[in-house]
Amino acid sequence: QAHEALKRNEAELSVILEHIPLATTLVDASQRIVRANAAMANLTGRRPQEGEGKSLCEVISCLHHLDNPTGSSSDHTCQTCKGRLLISDTFDTGKAHYQEEFTLEVAGENGARQTDLLLSTVMLPSRQKQALVCLEDISERKKAQQQLIESDRLASIGLLVSGVTHEVGNPLTVIMGYSDQLLSKKLPD
């Protein structure tokens, strides 16, 4: 009976993991993927099974990951990567992290590109030392926010120019009125 209950729980957790809309993966203490969901495949462009056993950074296609054969195993960028440090902190201290923002330089179809991610981590209460890692690509959201900020700045500049034009225009109207009066008067010879 206990064995059947365990199988049912595993099946339920498997369905839950697979249908979480965030890129979600289980990683071991060396930050290698144990299991990933379909949303992770959408983020990385790889089927979930392709990433199993590989480092999370490699699967995400970070250009600076320590396992990169073309990179350096002492790449400073990887060693100081906020994402890597947050996951390590979860393993070292057991502390969960929630929606921590960081940026990676990833290999894309058109060369390297900056990717902004939100990362959440939590240790799993299991015999194997594993953490649940959730990632959300917020690059498009940040780009839209930046465009909105630029639009607001342009609108503010437009209002400023309009106000300055109005303030400069008022005295000019008075000056033009006096000029017309002076010109209409006949000047003595």
Side-chain angles (χ1 to χ4, degrees):
Q1 231 177 5
H3 183 60
E4 287 300 317
L6 182 61
K7 283 177 75 175
R8 247 188 340 272
N9 283 345
E10 285 178 1
E12 289 172 358
L13 289 175
S14 182
V15 168
I16 291 169
L17 176 66
E18 202 52 43
H19 290 87
I20 294 173
L22 291 174
T24 306
T25 184
L26 297 175
V27 296
D28 61 19
S30 61
Q31 298 192 22
R32 297 206 173 276
I33 294 177
V34 175
R35 189 168 176 191
N37 69 355
M40 182 64 130
N42 290 339
L43 176 70
T44 63
R46 299 178 187 207
R47 292 180 309 169
Q49 299 81 5
E50 290 177 27
E52 289 178 8
K54 295 182 179 174
S55 78
L56 179 59
C57 299
E58 179 183 0
V59 172
I60 293 173
S61 300
C62 177
L63 294 178
H64 302 286
H65 68 86
L66 293 174
D67 297 326
N68 186 347
T70 61
S72 164
S73 62
S74 62
D75 192 328
H76 180 70
T77 305
C78 186
Q79 293 174 352
T80 60
C81 171
K82 184 175 180 180
R84 178 181 283 279
L85 294 173
L86 288 168
I87 296 170
S88 293
D89 182 58
T90 296
F91 278 106
D92 295 343
T93 66
K95 178 182 176 189
H97 295 279
Y98 182 69
Q99 293 193 336
E100 299 277 351
E101 188 177 326
F102 71 106
T103 303
L104 287 179
E105 188 174 0
V106 299
E109 296 169 1
N110 302 325
R113 64 181 169 80
Q114 296 287 321
T115 301
D116 297 301
L117 297 167
L118 286 180
L119 175 121
S120 298
T121 63
V122 66
M123 285 297 295
L124 294 180
S126 64
R127 279 183 254 141
Q128 301 95 355
K129 202 168 185 183
Q130 294 178 344
L132 183 70
V133 176
C134 297
L135 295 166
E136 182 180 3
D137 185 346
I138 59 168
S139 301
E140 292 301 317
R141 185 185 323 163
K142 286 194 70 154
K143 188 186 296 183
Q145 284 175 334
Q146 193 59 38
Q147 288 172 343
L148 186 59
I149 289 169
E150 286 296 318
S151 297
D152 285 347
R153 283 184 187 152
L154 289 175
S156 296
I157 290 171
L159 284 172
L160 177 66
V161 167
S162 172
V164 168
T165 302
H166 181 71
E167 291 300 318
V168 169
N170 284 343
L172 286 178
T173 303
V174 172
I175 292 170
M176 286 175 41
Y178 283 126
S179 298
D180 285 343
Q181 282 181 355
L182 286 172
L183 289 174
S184 66
K185 291 184 179 183
K186 196 171 187 178
L187 295 174
D189 293 320

